């Protein structure tokens, strides 16, 4: 089969062919039918979610000579020119490469002229958040009093980077990530129309890999077709997309979960020696543990080989969802502190060991508590059980454990993780010191000092000590 540019061929030309964004296309169609189009739109959403495609359809629909039910006819002279890209009333600007004030000034001068053949001059500005401050100011002047015959469609993956003054002048539409089912449906149509035979399992992998972006899904499909195969199997896709090698992730996760600090130290040394980028690795580890968690919840993890999946399953069979969640939070915090660290390797290594040891301490505590309650249950004197805990935990440690339990019960996981590495010391009848770890970074320090956080801590401490306590943070 010859190579076909599937993405271009199957780019929707009508609102009705857009996938997964009905909440947007319906509104736009109504506006066109009722001649109530706005002068400035903001399309925000992830890559491949259909922002530019929708903008192009809208640009044609407002100019089409025979619009049908709010859709462009795609057959009249104007639609044809627009589809060819030769209609000068529709301009597409990539703000990533044209981000200067001059580019926008050109537009400001241009907008004064009436459209040449259509009803509207439409400016589609892609990745608009990349504009310089000067360019934003120039654009704002135009948006403040746009001529009647001008429509701006601003598209961005990062709306939070836009000045409020711009946001407030636009009608905003948020594009959703496209669901796996919707992507599969669309891929099926494309395959049928292009005579591509494909296994359902393969479609599922493509849809999953594309992460809600139709463009990515189609480009993976395109790569398979370019391979020259007419029938695409699940196996082929796995090879093509490069299913992750997970042995090293499995190894280190196993050692962390079983609390083997010495092995984790060896693992991280091996990693550092292998020259792997530690930021990348930390991110992979977080994603991997997230996948382990997903595996506990559902079996729908298609990106792994069956044998790897079995190994993952074996790994998580002895481990709670809570522990996995906690690991994700802890490693995310570690990732944060690595970001600003001058000595990444040290932070990485000590961080992983701390996380490992925390887990094993918690296991021991849990075991002691469990033994204690079993003892009570089996009618052994409660004093024996109490002694058992006493041996392992000091008064301060017990208080800390209780605070941690309360934080967990109240889903304050960030505070939980931070306090886990802190000491809680009762220094006086009504005074508690919280001594934070030396490795606590500024972001977390600020987080703990927020009024909201302080209120939570105060409340938890009050519950544990049964009375109002003064709290002093020691950094
Ligand atoms: Zn038309």
């Amino acid at each position: 089969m010859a190579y076909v540019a599937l993405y271009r061929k199957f780019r929707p030309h009508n609102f009705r062919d857009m996938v997964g964004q009905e909440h947007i296309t319906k509104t736009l169609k109504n506006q066109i039918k009722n001649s109530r189009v706005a002068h400035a739109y903001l399309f925000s959403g992830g890559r491949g979610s259909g922002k530019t495609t929708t903008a192009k359809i809208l640009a044609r629909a407002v100019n089409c000579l025979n619009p049908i039910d709010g859709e462009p006819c795609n057959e009249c002279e104007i639609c044809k020119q627009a589809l060819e890209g030769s209609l000068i009333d529709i301009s597409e600007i990539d703000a990533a490469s044209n981000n200067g004030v001059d580019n926008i000034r050109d537009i400001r001068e241009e907008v004064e002229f009436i459209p040449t053949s259509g009803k509207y001059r439409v400016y589609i500005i892609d990745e608009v958040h990349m504009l310089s401050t000067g360019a934003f100011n120039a654009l704002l002047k135009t948006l403040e009093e746009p001529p009647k015959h001008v429509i701006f469609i601003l598209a961005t993956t990062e709306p939070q980077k836009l000045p409020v003054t711009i946001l407030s002048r636009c009608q905003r539409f948020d594009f959703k990530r496209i669901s796996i089912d919707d992507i599969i449906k669309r891929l099926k149509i494309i395959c049928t129309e292009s005579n591509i035979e494909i296994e359902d399992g393969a479609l599922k992998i493509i849809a999953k890999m594309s992460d809600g972006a139709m463009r990515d899904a189609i480009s993976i499909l395109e790569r398979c077709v370019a391979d020259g195969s007419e029938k695409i199997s699940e196996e082929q896709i796995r090879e093509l997309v490069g299913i992750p090698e997970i042995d090293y992730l499995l190894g280190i996760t196993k050692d962390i979960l079983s609390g083997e600090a010495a092995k984790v130290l060896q693992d991280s040394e091996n990693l550092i020696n292998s020259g792997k980028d530690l930021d990348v690795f930390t991110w992979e580890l977080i994603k991997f543990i997230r996948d382990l968690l997903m595996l506990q919840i559902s079996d729908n993890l298609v990106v792994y080989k069956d044998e790897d999946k079995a190994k993952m399953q074996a790994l998580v069979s002895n481990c709670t969802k809570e522990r996995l969640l906690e690991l994700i939070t802890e490693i995310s915090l570690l990732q944060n502190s690595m970001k600003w660290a001058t000595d990444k390797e040290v932070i990485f290594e000590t961080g992983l060991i701390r996380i490992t040891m925390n887990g094993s301490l918690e296991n021991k505590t849990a075991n002691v508590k469990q033994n204690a309650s079993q003892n009570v249950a089996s009618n052994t004197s409660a004093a024996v059980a109490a002694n058992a805990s006493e041996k392992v935990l000091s008064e301060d440690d017990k208080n800390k454990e209780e605070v941690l339990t309360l934080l967990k019960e109240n889903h304050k996981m960030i505070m939980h993780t931070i306090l886990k590495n802190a000491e809680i010391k009762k220094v006086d009848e009504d005074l508690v010191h919280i001594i934070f770890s030396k490795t606590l970074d500024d972001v977390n320090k600020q987080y703990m000092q927020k009024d909201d956080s302080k209120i939570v801590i105060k409340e938890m401490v009050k519950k544990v000590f049964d009375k109002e306590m003064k709290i002093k943070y020691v950094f």
Side-chain angles (χ1 to χ4, degrees), residues 64-66 73-76 79:
C64 174
L65 300 174
N66 313 301
C73 76
N74 293 330
E75 277 167 9
C76 69
C79 282

Side-chain angles (χ1 to χ4, degrees), residues 52-243:
T52 317
T53 304
T54 307
K56 286 176 181 228
I57 299 172
L58 175 61
R60 280 199 306 281
V62 294
N63 278 319
C64 174
L65 300 174
N66 313 301
I68 310 151
D69 191 33
E71 301 265 17
C73 76
N74 293 330
E75 277 167 9
C76 69
E77 212 39 52
I78 299 243
C79 282
K80 273 188 190 156
Q81 282 182 32
L83 284 169
E84 281 167 11
S86 61
L87 185 71
I88 52 171
D89 293 329
I90 299 178
S91 308
E92 240 189 285
I93 298 133
D94 176 16
S97 44
N98 305 291
N99 59 0
V101 65
D102 291 340
N103 302 103
I104 300 296
R105 277 212 191 104
D106 289 347
I107 297 178
R108 276 183 66 193
E109 280 165 24
E110 237 179 68
V111 294
E112 298 304 328
F113 300 104
I114 53 161
T116 49
S117 40
K119 262 184 277 180
Y120 292 97
R121 271 183 185 278
V122 184
Y123 292 91
I124 301 170
I125 308 183
D126 254 328
E127 298 300 337
V128 66
H129 62 272
M130 308 278 277
L131 288 182
S132 65
T133 313
F136 270 130
N137 288 336
L139 179 62
L140 188 61
K141 292 222 172 79
T142 320
L143 288 181
E144 271 166 353
E145 282 172 63
K148 280 201 168 46
H149 58 264
V150 170
I151 296 176
F152 281 97
I153 306 173
L154 314 179
T156 181
T157 46
E158 300 185 60
Q160 76 282 1
K161 287 191 178 160
L162 295 185
V164 188
T165 43
I166 299 270
L167 288 173
S168 66
R169 306 212 174 256
C170 296
Q171 193 173 116
R172 176 168 171 175
F173 290 103
D174 292 321
F175 285 65
K176 292 186 287 195
R177 278 174 44 159
I178 305 169
S179 74
I180 290 185
D181 285 347
D182 279 341
I183 291 188
I184 291 180
K185 255 189 249 163
R186 182 77 185 150
L187 290 179
K188 271 191 177 159
I189 294 176
I190 294 176
C191 288
T192 314
E193 291 188 14
S194 315
N195 289 324
I196 300 168
E197 239 187 283
I198 186 163
E199 287 176 8
D200 278 354
L203 282 177
K204 216 168 158 188
I205 294 178
I206 298 180
K208 262 222 126 144
M209 296 292 297
S210 65
D211 212 19
M214 185 60 84
R215 182 169 47 209
D216 292 355
I218 296 178
S219 86
I220 298 173
L221 182 65
E222 236 167 39
R223 272 158 62 197
C224 306
V225 178
D227 246 14
S229 31
E230 305 212 355
K231 189 167 192 264
I232 301 166
S233 68
E234 195 175 328
E235 199 48 49
Q236 259 173 296
I237 301 277
R238 282 187 198 286
E239 264 168 41
L240 187 84
V241 296
I243 301 301

Side-chain angles (χ1 to χ4, degrees), residues 403 406 410 412 452-469 471:
V403 171
L406 282 172
N410 289 281
K412 305 286 179 199
D452 290 355
S453 310
K454 283 187 171 166
I455 291 169
V456 173
I457 297 291
K458 208 162 170 69
E459 206 178 301
M460 305 285 147
V461 169
K462 186 180 167 187
K463 275 190 189 156
V464 169
F465 288 83
D466 253 347
K467 66 173 184 176
E468 198 83 49
M469 299 292 283
I471 297 171

Side-chain angles (χ1 to χ4, degrees), residues 311-323:
K311 284 185 204 162
M312 290 165 79
Q313 226 132 21
L315 181 60
V316 293
S317 59
N318 282 323
C319 159
T320 61
K321 290 187 192 77
E322 286 71 23
R323 177 67 184 136

